[in-house]
Amino acid sequence: MTADPVTTQQPPLPAEVPATVRASLSPSRAADFKTCPLLYRFRSIDRLPERPSVEQARGTLVHAVLERLFDLPAAGRTPAAAGDLVAPQWERLVAEQPELAGLFADGDEAARSGFLRSAAALLEGYFAVEDPRRLEPAERESLISAVVDEELLIRGYLDRLDVAPDGALRVVDYKTGGAPREAFEARALFQLKFYALVLWRTRGVVPRVLRLLYLRDGEVCDYAPDADELVRFERTVVALWRAIEAATAAQDFRPRPSRLCDWCSHQALCPSFGGTPPPFPVAPAAADPLRDARSRPAPPGADE
């Protein structure tokens, strides 16, 4: 289940947000509501803290390494070079997110070393499906956004955007695992269609390929959307947002138990597990409507 570490950095908003816009939605938060309305409430309204798991931290680390890998000259993007980036990128992440240091007991160098080796193993899976020496991504870890239905700002962070010489777009998302494949892949494709809709609305181009790279299995999943599909998806997103508004007005967010509950950080507060949610916040709308959950959409790797 998604469990994004608490961060303090606010993402930049679009340079000009129309005055009609009164809310924003990221694919992570939209997927939360689809998966379990109560989970959405816990994250977006109650804003309950969640500690990152080892799996989520590993995903964040792998994403960071792959982002930095493309800073190197093409010829230097080798498995060895990627492996050399693992430890320094982990140190950078711990400095930026001190809560990550609590994943391992003080002085437990064996656990830390094993964690770094497991991240390096996932990078080997990346090289099994792509040769980064032949790629020059147009964008990496970039925030994109668009306004739909005049009132809703949709936004999210792309792992990578490739642009072909003829202008064709390919959206690439790295997946390191964590949830059952059938549920996980449906969520991942929802996320990529979200990005495809933003790109189409802002650049007038429907991405030719939405690509999922499963690093653990060394597999590639390609999906080709079309404009008609994105029109239908836009209606789905707007309907989802209206359902969120209705649930907020009624203060009615019900749990939706599934196998993904095993990854949830909030079972102790969930009625499906004998818990009781906290009182509904008195003024949940007091938060900036352009900030839809945490200080930013789920950080790279956190949706694994």
Side-chain angles (χ1 to χ4, degrees):
M1 198 56 138
T2 303
D4 39 335
V6 176
T7 59
T8 56
Q9 180 182 0
Q10 294 283 5
L13 290 172
E16 295 184 5
V17 177
T20 57
V21 171
R22 59 190 180 86
S24 76
L25 192 64
S26 71
S28 298
R29 299 292 74 83
D32 282 348
F33 189 81
K34 280 169 55 69
T35 299
C36 175
L38 185 58
L39 175 64
Y40 175 91
R41 184 204 142 168
F42 286 156
R43 285 181 169 158
S44 298
I45 296 177
D46 297 296
R47 305 198 178 208
L48 300 179
E50 295 180 356
R51 292 191 59 182
S53 69
V54 171
E55 291 75 17
Q56 291 149 4
R58 185 184 297 112
T60 301
L61 173 57
V62 169
H63 279 71
V65 170
L66 291 175
E67 181 185 6
R68 296 301 188 275
L69 183 66
F70 286 99
D71 289 335
L72 301 176
R77 299 169 194 163
T78 64
D84 289 341
L85 289 169
V86 171
Q89 284 305 306
W90 176 244
E91 295 302 323
R92 178 183 67 82
L93 290 171
V94 170
E96 294 175 356
Q97 301 178 40
E99 66 272 17
L100 293 176
L103 290 173
F104 310 110
D106 290 342
D108 192 348
E109 186 58 32
R112 178 182 177 278
S113 297
F115 169 77
L116 297 181
R117 285 195 301 272
S118 68
L122 288 172
L123 291 168
E124 292 176 5
Y126 168 72
F127 282 92
V129 295
E130 273 195 341
D131 183 353
R133 296 172 299 180
R134 302 176 61 185
L135 298 168
E136 290 298 338
E139 299 178 28
R140 290 171 281 148
E141 304 299 349
S142 60
L143 175 65
I144 60 172
S145 62
V147 175
V148 297
D149 199 44
E150 298 184 350
E151 297 181 325
L152 178 65
L153 180 75
I154 59 174
R155 61 197 178 102
Y157 282 84
L158 292 173
D159 283 354
R160 200 179 85 209
L161 181 66
D162 299 335
V163 180
D166 65 356
L169 305 181
R170 179 172 65 193
V171 179
V172 180
D173 200 64
Y174 308 123
K175 296 301 178 186
T176 57
R181 173 62 62 85
E182 56 270 27
F184 180 54
E185 191 160 291
R187 182 182 177 110
L189 285 175
F190 177 87
Q191 176 185 9
L192 290 186
K193 289 179 184 179
F194 207 99
Y195 298 152
L197 175 59
V198 172
L199 292 169
W200 183 41
R201 288 304 187 201
T202 56
R203 308 187 190 193
V205 179
V206 175
R208 182 176 295 172
V209 176
L210 306 179
R211 172 166 291 180
L212 296 166
L213 297 184
Y214 288 97
L215 308 187
R216 178 173 297 173
D217 302 326
E219 295 180 3
V220 178
C221 175
D222 281 347
Y223 185 83
D226 59 44
D228 289 342
E229 179 180 14
L230 293 184
V231 168
R232 294 191 298 271
F233 184 75
E234 183 173 11
R235 295 194 192 107
T236 297
V237 170
V238 171
L240 187 65
W241 168 54
R242 296 196 186 284
I244 291 172
E245 285 198 316
T248 303
Q251 300 185 7
D252 184 11
F253 290 87
R254 301 181 185 182
R256 185 176 297 152
S258 72
R259 285 180 296 170
L260 297 178
C261 292
D262 292 342
W263 284 267
C264 185
S265 301
H266 307 297
Q267 288 187 10
L269 297 173
C270 179
S272 296
F273 293 87
T276 301
F280 202 83
V282 174
D288 185 343
L290 297 183
R291 313 287 186 189
D292 75 326
R294 307 228 173 208
S295 56
R296 57 166 284 178
D303 275 331
E304 302 301 338

